[in-house]
Amino acid sequence: PATPAAPNVGPGFDGMVPSPLLTTAPGFYTAPVDVNAALAGVEGATLRYTLNGDEPTEASPVLTGPVTLQSRAGQPNLWASIPTAVDTYSSNPKYSWTAGAGWNNGPIAETFKINTFRVRAFKSGYVPSKSVSGSYLVDPAGAGRYPLPMVSIMADYDSLFGPEKGLFVPPNYNESGIQWERPAHLEFFEN
């Protein structure tokens, strides 16, 4: 922690761990894909990863080999079912949100889901590396699934949908200013 106008306490750090490299390029795939990361020239470092968009921490799973990412067809709609607006004055209750009950009319079909992969290097006595992130779209149609370019935005769940600081939940989406900025990873794909 920073100690403005006072001496720093604690042992300090020997340096910062460099960022790992993804061994499989993010993008469109028509079949399951094995994703891995490598960190060259750093003895004693541990790679940790997440598959939900969150920043890896020292509590995240250790990356011991390739992770197979596949189509997520059939998985429940998680993100698409989160309310991002409150319409308490709507004359049409069909499209309104009720606290405790949820959407009166949520998504009518399954939404397409992509795979996210974030990895970060940790080493005792060192500042952890910056995260390296990739979006993997696994579908039999591959890049042909979308007729337009696609954008993937990755951020911690709480930064987007958490009740205290989530940007897309009522009433937080009315907030502004630097205190409401959130770190994110953005990728742009063209077919």
Side-chain angles (χ1 to χ4, degrees):
T3 55
N8 291 331
V9 293
F13 295 98
D14 294 327
M16 182 173 180
V17 183
S19 295
L21 299 173
L22 296 177
T23 59
T24 307
F28 296 96
Y29 291 87
T30 57
V33 58
D34 288 335
V35 178
N36 206 349
L39 184 63
V42 180
E43 295 291 325
T46 301
L47 296 178
R48 296 183 177 273
Y49 73 100
T50 62
L51 299 175
N52 63 358
D54 285 352
E55 184 87 17
T57 67
E58 290 185 282
S60 300
V62 173
L63 183 65
T64 58
V67 175
T68 302
L69 303 177
Q70 54 194 345
S71 170
R72 295 185 56 206
Q75 292 183 2
N77 291 334
L78 172 63
W79 304 101
S81 298
I82 296 173
T84 57
V86 174
D87 186 4
T88 56
Y89 305 104
S90 174
S91 60
N92 185 351
K94 179 178 178 184
Y95 300 107
S96 66
W97 166 259
T98 305
W103 285 110
N104 290 340
N105 189 4
I108 59 172
E110 178 183 359
T111 58
F112 182 70
K113 299 153 197 81
I114 68 170
N115 293 281
T116 60
F117 182 80
R118 299 186 91 176
V119 63
R120 189 174 181 197
F122 296 85
K123 182 176 178 178
S124 180
Y126 285 72
V127 175
S129 73
K130 292 182 178 180
S131 290
V132 176
S133 306
S135 300
Y136 297 86
L137 298 92
V138 183
D139 186 79
R145 178 167 182 74
Y146 297 104
L148 299 172
M150 195 202 77
V151 174
S152 171
I153 302 173
M154 227 180 285
D156 284 351
Y157 177 88
D158 284 340
S159 290
L160 300 178
F161 301 107
E164 297 296 320
K165 65 177 189 171
L167 296 175
F168 297 117
V169 295
N172 298 348
Y173 52 73
N174 291 319
E175 301 294 340
S176 63
I178 195 167
Q179 70 273 20
W180 287 92
E181 292 181 5
R182 301 289 182 263
H185 174 79
L186 182 133
E187 290 174 287
F188 178 81
F189 298 96
E190 293 182 292
N191 57 10

mmCIF file with all atom_site columns, all heavy atoms in Angstrom, residues 74-100:
data_model
loop_
_atom_site.group_PDB
_atom_site.id
_atom_site.type_symbol
_atom_site.label_atom_id
_atom_site.label_alt_id
_atom_site.label_comp_id
_atom_site.label_asym_id
_atom_site.label_entity_id
_atom_site.label_seq_id
_atom_site.pdbx_PDB_ins_code
_atom_site.Cartn_x
_atom_site.Cartn_y
_atom_site.Cartn_z
_atom_site.occupancy
_atom_site.B_iso_or_equiv
_atom_site.pdbx_formal_charge
_atom_site.auth_seq_id
_atom_site.auth_comp_id
_atom_site.auth_asym_id
_atom_site.auth_atom_id
_atom_site.pdbx_PDB_model_num
ATOM 1   N N   . GLY A 1 74  ? -26.043 -24.153 -25.213 1.00 0.00 ? 74  GLY A N   1
ATOM 2   C CA  . GLY A 1 74  ? -26.772 -24.916 -24.215 1.00 0.00 ? 74  GLY A CA  1
ATOM 3   C C   . GLY A 1 74  ? -26.550 -24.436 -22.792 1.00 0.00 ? 74  GLY A C   1
ATOM 4   O O   . GLY A 1 74  ? -27.277 -24.841 -21.885 1.00 0.00 ? 74  GLY A O   1
ATOM 5   N N   . GLN A 1 75  ? -25.545 -23.601 -22.567 1.00 0.00 ? 75  GLN A N   1
ATOM 6   C CA  . GLN A 1 75  ? -25.326 -23.070 -21.219 1.00 0.00 ? 75  GLN A CA  1
ATOM 7   C C   . GLN A 1 75  ? -26.372 -21.986 -20.931 1.00 0.00 ? 75  GLN A C   1
ATOM 8   O O   . GLN A 1 75  ? -26.816 -21.289 -21.836 1.00 0.00 ? 75  GLN A O   1
ATOM 9   C CB  . GLN A 1 75  ? -23.918 -22.502 -21.079 1.00 0.00 ? 75  GLN A CB  1
ATOM 10  C CG  . GLN A 1 75  ? -22.850 -23.565 -21.128 1.00 0.00 ? 75  GLN A CG  1
ATOM 11  C CD  . GLN A 1 75  ? -21.457 -22.987 -20.912 1.00 0.00 ? 75  GLN A CD  1
ATOM 12  O OE1 . GLN A 1 75  ? -21.266 -21.809 -20.684 1.00 0.00 ? 75  GLN A OE1 1
ATOM 13  N NE2 . GLN A 1 75  ? -20.458 -23.858 -20.994 1.00 0.00 ? 75  GLN A NE2 1
ATOM 14  N N   . PRO A 1 76  ? -26.761 -21.843 -19.684 1.00 0.00 ? 76  PRO A N   1
ATOM 15  C CA  . PRO A 1 76  ? -27.796 -20.851 -19.341 1.00 0.00 ? 76  PRO A CA  1
ATOM 16  C C   . PRO A 1 76  ? -27.372 -19.423 -19.682 1.00 0.00 ? 76  PRO A C   1
ATOM 17  O O   . PRO A 1 76  ? -26.185 -19.108 -19.705 1.00 0.00 ? 76  PRO A O   1
ATOM 18  C CB  . PRO A 1 76  ? -27.970 -21.000 -17.832 1.00 0.00 ? 76  PRO A CB  1
ATOM 19  C CG  . PRO A 1 76  ? -27.300 -22.270 -17.464 1.00 0.00 ? 76  PRO A CG  1
ATOM 20  C CD  . PRO A 1 76  ? -26.301 -22.589 -18.531 1.00 0.00 ? 76  PRO A CD  1
ATOM 21  N N   . ASN A 1 77  ? -28.371 -18.577 -19.945 1.00 0.00 ? 77  ASN A N   1
ATOM 22  C CA  . ASN A 1 77  ? -28.125 -17.156 -20.162 1.00 0.00 ? 77  ASN A CA  1
ATOM 23  C C   . ASN A 1 77  ? -27.813 -16.513 -18.818 1.00 0.00 ? 77  ASN A C   1
ATOM 24  O O   . ASN A 1 77  ? -28.701 -16.305 -18.010 1.00 0.00 ? 77  ASN A O   1
ATOM 25  C CB  . ASN A 1 77  ? -29.358 -16.473 -20.767 1.00 0.00 ? 77  ASN A CB  1
ATOM 26  C CG  . ASN A 1 77  ? -29.622 -16.908 -22.186 1.00 0.00 ? 77  ASN A CG  1
ATOM 27  O OD1 . ASN A 1 77  ? -28.713 -17.321 -22.892 1.00 0.00 ? 77  ASN A OD1 1
ATOM 28  N ND2 . ASN A 1 77  ? -30.861 -16.816 -22.608 1.00 0.00 ? 77  ASN A ND2 1
ATOM 29  N N   . LEU A 1 78  ? -26.556 -16.188 -18.573 1.00 0.00 ? 78  LEU A N   1
ATOM 30  C CA  . LEU A 1 78  ? -26.172 -15.534 -17.322 1.00 0.00 ? 78  LEU A CA  1
ATOM 31  C C   . LEU A 1 78  ? -26.178 -14.017 -17.502 1.00 0.00 ? 78  LEU A C   1
ATOM 32  O O   . LEU A 1 78  ? -26.945 -13.305 -16.889 1.00 0.00 ? 78  LEU A O   1
ATOM 33  C CB  . LEU A 1 78  ? -24.792 -16.019 -16.875 1.00 0.00 ? 78  LEU A CB  1
ATOM 34  C CG  . LEU A 1 78  ? -24.175 -15.274 -15.692 1.00 0.00 ? 78  LEU A CG  1
ATOM 35  C CD1 . LEU A 1 78  ? -25.031 -15.448 -14.442 1.00 0.00 ? 78  LEU A CD1 1
ATOM 36  C CD2 . LEU A 1 78  ? -22.769 -15.750 -15.437 1.00 0.00 ? 78  LEU A CD2 1
ATOM 37  N N   . TRP A 1 79  ? -25.326 -13.514 -18.379 1.00 0.00 ? 79  TRP A N   1
ATOM 38  C CA  . TRP A 1 79  ? -25.193 -12.075 -18.568 1.00 0.00 ? 79  TRP A CA  1
ATOM 39  C C   . TRP A 1 79  ? -26.456 -11.457 -19.153 1.00 0.00 ? 79  TRP A C   1
ATOM 40  O O   . TRP A 1 79  ? -26.855 -10.359 -18.749 1.00 0.00 ? 79  TRP A O   1
ATOM 41  C CB  . TRP A 1 79  ? -24.006 -11.765 -19.484 1.00 0.00 ? 79  TRP A CB  1
ATOM 42  C CG  . TRP A 1 79  ? -22.725 -12.352 -18.991 1.00 0.00 ? 79  TRP A CG  1
ATOM 43  C CD1 . TRP A 1 79  ? -22.126 -13.497 -19.448 1.00 0.00 ? 79  TRP A CD1 1
ATOM 44  C CD2 . TRP A 1 79  ? -21.896 -11.882 -17.934 1.00 0.00 ? 79  TRP A CD2 1
ATOM 45  N NE1 . TRP A 1 79  ? -20.978 -13.749 -18.751 1.00 0.00 ? 79  TRP A NE1 1
ATOM 46  C CE2 . TRP A 1 79  ? -20.812 -12.763 -17.812 1.00 0.00 ? 79  TRP A CE2 1
ATOM 47  C CE3 . TRP A 1 79  ? -21.969 -10.795 -17.085 1.00 0.00 ? 79  TRP A CE3 1
ATOM 48  C CZ2 . TRP A 1 79  ? -19.816 -12.587 -16.879 1.00 0.00 ? 79  TRP A CZ2 1
ATOM 49  C CZ3 . TRP A 1 79  ? -20.966 -10.620 -16.156 1.00 0.00 ? 79  TRP A CZ3 1
ATOM 50  C CH2 . TRP A 1 79  ? -19.908 -11.504 -16.056 1.00 0.00 ? 79  TRP A CH2 1
ATOM 51  N N   . ALA A 1 80  ? -27.071 -12.120 -20.105 1.00 0.00 ? 80  ALA A N   1
ATOM 52  C CA  . ALA A 1 80  ? -28.247 -11.547 -20.770 1.00 0.00 ? 80  ALA A CA  1
ATOM 53  C C   . ALA A 1 80  ? -29.448 -11.467 -19.849 1.00 0.00 ? 80  ALA A C   1
ATOM 54  O O   . ALA A 1 80  ? -30.408 -10.755 -20.137 1.00 0.00 ? 80  ALA A O   1
ATOM 55  C CB  . ALA A 1 80  ? -28.596 -12.374 -22.016 1.00 0.00 ? 80  ALA A CB  1
ATOM 56  N N   . SER A 1 81  ? -29.428 -12.162 -18.744 1.00 0.00 ? 81  SER A N   1
ATOM 57  C CA  . SER A 1 81  ? -30.560 -12.157 -17.822 1.00 0.00 ? 81  SER A CA  1
ATOM 58  C C   . SER A 1 81  ? -30.410 -11.129 -16.699 1.00 0.00 ? 81  SER A C   1
ATOM 59  O O   . SER A 1 81  ? -31.279 -11.005 -15.851 1.00 0.00 ? 81  SER A O   1
ATOM 60  C CB  . SER A 1 81  ? -30.742 -13.549 -17.208 1.00 0.00 ? 81  SER A CB  1
ATOM 61  O OG  . SER A 1 81  ? -31.030 -14.484 -18.216 1.00 0.00 ? 81  SER A OG  1
ATOM 62  N N   . ILE A 1 82  ? -29.304 -10.395 -16.699 1.00 0.00 ? 82  ILE A N   1
ATOM 63  C CA  . ILE A 1 82  ? -29.083 -9.388  -15.660 1.00 0.00 ? 82  ILE A CA  1
ATOM 64  C C   . ILE A 1 82  ? -29.783 -8.098  -16.070 1.00 0.00 ? 82  ILE A C   1
ATOM 65  O O   . ILE A 1 82  ? -29.579 -7.604  -17.173 1.00 0.00 ? 82  ILE A O   1
ATOM 66  C CB  . ILE A 1 82  ? -27.582 -9.139  -15.446 1.00 0.00 ? 82  ILE A CB  1
ATOM 67  C CG1 . ILE A 1 82  ? -26.920 -10.411 -14.922 1.00 0.00 ? 82  ILE A CG1 1
ATOM 68  C CG2 . ILE A 1 82  ? -27.354 -7.972  -14.485 1.00 0.00 ? 82  ILE A CG2 1
ATOM 69  C CD1 . ILE A 1 82  ? -25.423 -10.339 -14.843 1.00 0.00 ? 82  ILE A CD1 1
ATOM 70  N N   . PRO A 1 83  ? -30.610 -7.535  -15.193 1.00 0.00 ? 83  PRO A N   1
ATOM 71  C CA  . PRO A 1 83  ? -31.301 -6.291  -15.546 1.00 0.00 ? 83  PRO A CA  1
ATOM 72  C C   . PRO A 1 83  ? -30.320 -5.135  -15.636 1.00 0.00 ? 83  PRO A C   1
ATOM 73  O O   . PRO A 1 83  ? -29.422 -5.014  -14.806 1.00 0.00 ? 83  PRO A O   1
ATOM 74  C CB  . PRO A 1 83  ? -32.278 -6.096  -14.393 1.00 0.00 ? 83  PRO A CB  1
ATOM 75  C CG  . PRO A 1 83  ? -31.634 -6.784  -13.245 1.00 0.00 ? 83  PRO A CG  1
ATOM 76  C CD  . PRO A 1 83  ? -30.918 -7.976  -13.840 1.00 0.00 ? 83  PRO A CD  1
ATOM 77  N N   . THR A 1 84  ? -30.476 -4.309  -16.644 1.00 0.00 ? 84  THR A N   1
ATOM 78  C CA  . THR A 1 84  ? -29.606 -3.149  -16.797 1.00 0.00 ? 84  THR A CA  1
ATOM 79  C C   . THR A 1 84  ? -30.411 -1.856  -16.872 1.00 0.00 ? 84  THR A C   1
ATOM 80  O O   . THR A 1 84  ? -29.880 -0.824  -17.221 1.00 0.00 ? 84  THR A O   1
ATOM 81  C CB  . THR A 1 84  ? -28.734 -3.277  -18.057 1.00 0.00 ? 84  THR A CB  1
ATOM 82  O OG1 . THR A 1 84  ? -29.580 -3.448  -19.185 1.00 0.00 ? 84  THR A OG1 1
ATOM 83  C CG2 . THR A 1 84  ? -27.777 -4.444  -17.931 1.00 0.00 ? 84  THR A CG2 1
ATOM 84  N N   . ALA A 1 85  ? -31.687 -1.918  -16.553 1.00 0.00 ? 85  ALA A N   1
ATOM 85  C CA  . ALA A 1 85  ? -32.518 -0.718  -16.559 1.00 0.00 ? 85  ALA A CA  1
ATOM 86  C C   . ALA A 1 85  ? -33.678 -0.915  -15.598 1.00 0.00 ? 85  ALA A C   1
ATOM 87  O O   . ALA A 1 85  ? -34.111 -2.020  -15.343 1.00 0.00 ? 85  ALA A O   1
ATOM 88  C CB  . ALA A 1 85  ? -33.047 -0.453  -17.967 1.00 0.00 ? 85  ALA A CB  1
ATOM 89  N N   . VAL A 1 86  ? -34.148 0.172   -15.079 1.00 0.00 ? 86  VAL A N   1
ATOM 90  C CA  . VAL A 1 86  ? -35.339 0.163   -14.241 1.00 0.00 ? 86  VAL A CA  1
ATOM 91  C C   . VAL A 1 86  ? -36.355 1.076   -14.908 1.00 0.00 ? 86  VAL A C   1
ATOM 92  O O   . VAL A 1 86  ? -36.070 2.235   -15.170 1.00 0.00 ? 86  VAL A O   1
ATOM 93  C CB  . VAL A 1 86  ? -35.050 0.661   -12.811 1.00 0.00 ? 86  VAL A CB  1
ATOM 94  C CG1 . VAL A 1 86  ? -36.330 0.773   -12.015 1.00 0.00 ? 86  VAL A CG1 1
ATOM 95  C CG2 . VAL A 1 86  ? -34.081 -0.266  -12.121 1.00 0.00 ? 86  VAL A CG2 1
ATOM 96  N N   . ASP A 1 87  ? -37.496 0.530   -15.209 1.00 0.00 ? 87  ASP A N   1
ATOM 97  C CA  . ASP A 1 87  ? -38.542 1.310   -15.873 1.00 0.00 ? 87  ASP A CA  1
ATOM 98  C C   . ASP A 1 87  ? -39.763 1.295   -14.966 1.00 0.00 ? 87  ASP A C   1
ATOM 99  O O   . ASP A 1 87  ? -40.739 0.605   -15.228 1.00 0.00 ? 87  ASP A O   1
ATOM 100 C CB  . ASP A 1 87  ? -38.844 0.715   -17.248 1.00 0.00 ? 87  ASP A CB  1
ATOM 101 C CG  . ASP A 1 87  ? -39.804 1.562   -18.054 1.00 0.00 ? 87  ASP A CG  1
ATOM 102 O OD1 . ASP A 1 87  ? -40.171 2.653   -17.579 1.00 0.00 ? 87  ASP A OD1 1
ATOM 103 O OD2 . ASP A 1 87  ? -40.194 1.133   -19.142 1.00 0.00 ? 87  ASP A OD2 1
ATOM 104 N N   . THR A 1 88  ? -39.711 2.049   -13.881 1.00 0.00 ? 88  THR A N   1
ATOM 105 C CA  . THR A 1 88  ? -40.807 2.030   -12.917 1.00 0.00 ? 88  THR A CA  1
ATOM 106 C C   . THR A 1 88  ? -42.025 2.802   -13.411 1.00 0.00 ? 88  THR A C   1
ATOM 107 O O   . THR A 1 88  ? -43.096 2.684   -12.839 1.00 0.00 ? 88  THR A O   1
ATOM 108 C CB  . THR A 1 88  ? -40.362 2.619   -11.570 1.00 0.00 ? 88  THR A CB  1
ATOM 109 O OG1 . THR A 1 88  ? -39.868 3.939   -11.804 1.00 0.00 ? 88  THR A OG1 1
ATOM 110 C CG2 . THR A 1 88  ? -39.280 1.763   -10.942 1.00 0.00 ? 88  THR A CG2 1
ATOM 111 N N   . TYR A 1 89  ? -41.853 3.596   -14.471 1.00 0.00 ? 89  TYR A N   1
ATOM 112 C CA  . TYR A 1 89  ? -42.959 4.402   -14.964 1.00 0.00 ? 89  TYR A CA  1
ATOM 113 C C   . TYR A 1 89  ? -43.552 3.847   -16.253 1.00 0.00 ? 89  TYR A C   1
ATOM 114 O O   . TYR A 1 89  ? -44.336 4.493   -16.907 1.00 0.00 ? 89  TYR A O   1
ATOM 115 C CB  . TYR A 1 89  ? -42.495 5.851   -15.187 1.00 0.00 ? 89  TYR A CB  1
ATOM 116 C CG  . TYR A 1 89  ? -41.874 6.434   -13.959 1.00 0.00 ? 89  TYR A CG  1
ATOM 117 C CD1 . TYR A 1 89  ? -40.498 6.580   -13.859 1.00 0.00 ? 89  TYR A CD1 1
ATOM 118 C CD2 . TYR A 1 89  ? -42.664 6.793   -12.863 1.00 0.00 ? 89  TYR A CD2 1
ATOM 119 C CE1 . TYR A 1 89  ? -39.928 7.100   -12.701 1.00 0.00 ? 89  TYR A CE1 1
ATOM 120 C CE2 . TYR A 1 89  ? -42.105 7.311   -11.711 1.00 0.00 ? 89  TYR A CE2 1
ATOM 121 C CZ  . TYR A 1 89  ? -40.729 7.461   -11.641 1.00 0.00 ? 89  TYR A CZ  1
ATOM 122 O OH  . TYR A 1 89  ? -40.169 7.963   -10.499 1.00 0.00 ? 89  TYR A OH  1
ATOM 123 N N   . SER A 1 90  ? -43.155 2.640   -16.615 1.00 0.00 ? 90  SER A N   1
ATOM 124 C CA  . SER A 1 90  ? -43.612 2.073   -17.877 1.00 0.00 ? 90  SER A CA  1
ATOM 125 C C   . SER A 1 90  ? -45.106 1.788   -17.845 1.00 0.00 ? 90  SER A C   1
ATOM 126 O O   . SER A 1 90  ? -45.658 1.295   -16.870 1.00 0.00 ? 90  SER A O   1
ATOM 127 C CB  . SER A 1 90  ? -42.865 0.765   -18.166 1.00 0.00 ? 90  SER A CB  1
ATOM 128 O OG  . SER A 1 90  ? -43.386 0.148   -19.314 1.00 0.00 ? 90  SER A OG  1
ATOM 129 N N   . SER A 1 91  ? -45.754 2.122   -18.937 1.00 0.00 ? 91  SER A N   1
ATOM 130 C CA  . SER A 1 91  ? -47.169 1.783   -19.057 1.00 0.00 ? 91  SER A CA  1
ATOM 131 C C   . SER A 1 91  ? -47.328 0.363   -19.598 1.00 0.00 ? 91  SER A C   1
ATOM 132 O O   . SER A 1 91  ? -48.430 -0.150  -19.674 1.00 0.00 ? 91  SER A O   1
ATOM 133 C CB  . SER A 1 91  ? -47.872 2.791   -19.991 1.00 0.00 ? 91  SER A CB  1
ATOM 134 O OG  . SER A 1 91  ? -47.258 2.732   -21.272 1.00 0.00 ? 91  SER A OG  1
ATOM 135 N N   . ASN A 1 92  ? -46.208 -0.257  -19.992 1.00 0.00 ? 92  ASN A N   1
ATOM 136 C CA  . ASN A 1 92  ? -46.250 -1.618  -20.505 1.00 0.00 ? 92  ASN A CA  1
ATOM 137 C C   . ASN A 1 92  ? -45.432 -2.517  -19.570 1.00 0.00 ? 92  ASN A C   1
ATOM 138 O O   . ASN A 1 92  ? -44.222 -2.622  -19.712 1.00 0.00 ? 92  ASN A O   1
ATOM 139 C CB  . ASN A 1 92  ? -45.681 -1.674  -21.926 1.00 0.00 ? 92  ASN A CB  1
ATOM 140 C CG  . ASN A 1 92  ? -45.823 -3.052  -22.531 1.00 0.00 ? 92  ASN A CG  1
ATOM 141 O OD1 . ASN A 1 92  ? -46.187 -4.014  -21.845 1.00 0.00 ? 92  ASN A OD1 1
ATOM 142 N ND2 . ASN A 1 92  ? -45.541 -3.174  -23.806 1.00 0.00 ? 92  ASN A ND2 1
ATOM 143 N N   . PRO A 1 93  ? -46.065 -3.167  -18.594 1.00 0.00 ? 93  PRO A N   1
ATOM 144 C CA  . PRO A 1 93  ? -45.323 -3.982  -17.626 1.00 0.00 ? 93  PRO A CA  1
ATOM 145 C C   . PRO A 1 93  ? -44.637 -5.190  -18.247 1.00 0.00 ? 93  PRO A C   1
ATOM 146 O O   . PRO A 1 93  ? -43.812 -5.829  -17.612 1.00 0.00 ? 93  PRO A O   1
ATOM 147 C CB  . PRO A 1 93  ? -46.399 -4.397  -16.628 1.00 0.00 ? 93  PRO A CB  1
ATOM 148 C CG  . PRO A 1 93  ? -47.679 -4.309  -17.367 1.00 0.00 ? 93  PRO A CG  1
ATOM 149 C CD  . PRO A 1 93  ? -47.500 -3.199  -18.375 1.00 0.00 ? 93  PRO A CD  1
ATOM 150 N N   . LYS A 1 94  ? -44.942 -5.490  -19.502 1.00 0.00 ? 94  LYS A N   1
ATOM 151 C CA  . LYS A 1 94  ? -44.325 -6.628  -20.170 1.00 0.00 ? 94  LYS A CA  1
ATOM 152 C C   . LYS A 1 94  ? -42.800 -6.491  -20.210 1.00 0.00 ? 94  LYS A C   1
ATOM 153 O O   . LYS A 1 94  ? -42.083 -7.471  -20.175 1.00 0.00 ? 94  LYS A O   1
ATOM 154 C CB  . LYS A 1 94  ? -44.878 -6.728  -21.593 1.00 0.00 ? 94  LYS A CB  1
ATOM 155 C CG  . LYS A 1 94  ? -44.298 -7.859  -22.402 1.00 0.00 ? 94  LYS A CG  1
ATOM 156 C CD  . LYS A 1 94  ? -44.937 -7.904  -23.782 1.00 0.00 ? 94  LYS A CD  1
ATOM 157 C CE  . LYS A 1 94  ? -44.332 -9.007  -24.617 1.00 0.00 ? 94  LYS A CE  1
ATOM 158 N NZ  . LYS A 1 94  ? -44.844 -9.014  -25.973 1.00 0.00 ? 94  LYS A NZ  1
ATOM 159 N N   . TYR A 1 95  ? -42.293 -5.248  -20.292 1.00 0.00 ? 95  TYR A N   1
ATOM 160 C CA  . TYR A 1 95  ? -40.865 -5.031  -20.426 1.00 0.00 ? 95  TYR A CA  1
ATOM 161 C C   . TYR A 1 95  ? -40.243 -4.359  -19.211 1.00 0.00 ? 95  TYR A C   1
ATOM 162 O O   . TYR A 1 95  ? -39.212 -3.739  -19.298 1.00 0.00 ? 95  TYR A O   1
ATOM 163 C CB  . TYR A 1 95  ? -40.578 -4.187  -21.672 1.00 0.00 ? 95  TYR A CB  1
ATOM 164 C CG  . TYR A 1 95  ? -41.056 -4.862  -22.922 1.00 0.00 ? 95  TYR A CG  1
ATOM 165 C CD1 . TYR A 1 95  ? -42.177 -4.411  -23.593 1.00 0.00 ? 95  TYR A CD1 1
ATOM 166 C CD2 . TYR A 1 95  ? -40.403 -5.989  -23.411 1.00 0.00 ? 95  TYR A CD2 1
ATOM 167 C CE1 . TYR A 1 95  ? -42.627 -5.039  -24.732 1.00 0.00 ? 95  TYR A CE1 1
ATOM 168 C CE2 . TYR A 1 95  ? -40.846 -6.633  -24.546 1.00 0.00 ? 95  TYR A CE2 1
ATOM 169 C CZ  . TYR A 1 95  ? -41.956 -6.154  -25.200 1.00 0.00 ? 95  TYR A CZ  1
ATOM 170 O OH  . TYR A 1 95  ? -42.397 -6.787  -26.326 1.00 0.00 ? 95  TYR A OH  1
ATOM 171 N N   . SER A 1 96  ? -40.844 -4.461  -18.048 1.00 0.00 ? 96  SER A N   1
ATOM 172 C CA  . SER A 1 96  ? -40.315 -3.774  -16.872 1.00 0.00 ? 96  SER A CA  1
ATOM 173 C C   . SER A 1 96  ? -39.594 -4.736  -15.932 1.00 0.00 ? 96  SER A C   1
ATOM 174 O O   . SER A 1 96  ? -39.748 -5.942  -16.005 1.00 0.00 ? 96  SER A O   1
ATOM 175 C CB  . SER A 1 96  ? -41.445 -3.049  -16.140 1.00 0.00 ? 96  SER A CB  1
ATOM 176 O OG  . SER A 1 96  ? -42.351 -3.980  -15.611 1.00 0.00 ? 96  SER A OG  1
ATOM 177 N N   . TRP A 1 97  ? -38.832 -4.153  -15.020 1.00 0.00 ? 97  TRP A N   1
ATOM 178 C CA  . TRP A 1 97  ? -38.072 -4.897  -14.021 1.00 0.00 ? 97  TRP A CA  1
ATOM 179 C C   . TRP A 1 97  ? -38.730 -4.692  -12.672 1.00 0.00 ? 97  TRP A C   1
ATOM 180 O O   . TRP A 1 97  ? -39.055 -3.582  -12.294 1.00 0.00 ? 97  TRP A O   1
ATOM 181 C CB  . TRP A 1 97  ? -36.637 -4.387  -13.995 1.00 0.00 ? 97  TRP A CB  1
ATOM 182 C CG  . TRP A 1 97  ? -35.854 -4.834  -12.798 1.00 0.00 ? 97  TRP A CG  1
ATOM 183 C CD1 . TRP A 1 97  ? -35.579 -4.106  -11.691 1.00 0.00 ? 97  TRP A CD1 1
ATOM 184 C CD2 . TRP A 1 97  ? -35.257 -6.103  -12.593 1.00 0.00 ? 97  TRP A CD2 1
ATOM 185 N NE1 . TRP A 1 97  ? -34.847 -4.838  -10.807 1.00 0.00 ? 97  TRP A NE1 1
ATOM 186 C CE2 . TRP A 1 97  ? -34.631 -6.081  -11.327 1.00 0.00 ? 97  TRP A CE2 1
ATOM 187 C CE3 . TRP A 1 97  ? -35.200 -7.272  -13.340 1.00 0.00 ? 97  TRP A CE3 1
ATOM 188 C CZ2 . TRP A 1 97  ? -33.950 -7.169  -10.809 1.00 0.00 ? 97  TRP A CZ2 1
ATOM 189 C CZ3 . TRP A 1 97  ? -34.521 -8.350  -12.824 1.00 0.00 ? 97  TRP A CZ3 1
ATOM 190 C CH2 . TRP A 1 97  ? -33.906 -8.294  -11.574 1.00 0.00 ? 97  TRP A CH2 1
ATOM 191 N N   . THR A 1 98  ? -38.897 -5.768  -11.919 1.00 0.00 ? 98  THR A N   1
ATOM 192 C CA  . THR A 1 98  ? -39.478 -5.676  -10.596 1.00 0.00 ? 98  THR A CA  1
ATOM 193 C C   . THR A 1 98  ? -38.454 -6.172  -9.594  1.00 0.00 ? 98  THR A C   1
ATOM 194 O O   . THR A 1 98  ? -37.948 -7.298  -9.732  1.00 0.00 ? 98  THR A O   1
ATOM 195 C CB  . THR A 1 98  ? -40.760 -6.543  -10.502 1.00 0.00 ? 98  THR A CB  1
ATOM 196 O OG1 . THR A 1 98  ? -41.650 -6.143  -11.527 1.00 0.00 ? 98  THR A OG1 1
ATOM 197 C CG2 . THR A 1 98  ? -41.407 -6.392  -9.144  1.00 0.00 ? 98  THR A CG2 1
ATOM 198 N N   . ALA A 1 99  ? -38.124 -5.338  -8.584  1.00 0.00 ? 99  ALA A N   1
ATOM 199 C CA  . ALA A 1 99  ? -37.136 -5.735  -7.584  1.00 0.00 ? 99  ALA A CA  1
ATOM 200 C C   . ALA A 1 99  ? -37.553 -7.049  -6.938  1.00 0.00 ? 99  ALA A C   1
ATOM 201 O O   . ALA A 1 99  ? -38.697 -7.222  -6.537  1.00 0.00 ? 99  ALA A O   1
ATOM 202 C CB  . ALA A 1 99  ? -36.998 -4.641  -6.535  1.00 0.00 ? 99  ALA A CB  1
ATOM 203 N N   . GLY A 1 100 ? -36.622 -7.978  -6.868  1.00 0.00 ? 100 GLY A N   1
ATOM 204 C CA  . GLY A 1 100 ? -36.883 -9.269  -6.251  1.00 0.00 ? 100 GLY A CA  1
ATOM 205 C C   . GLY A 1 100 ? -37.492 -10.286 -7.191  1.00 0.00 ? 100 GLY A C   1
ATOM 206 O O   . GLY A 1 100 ? -37.418 -11.478 -6.960  1.00 0.00 ? 100 GLY A O   1
#
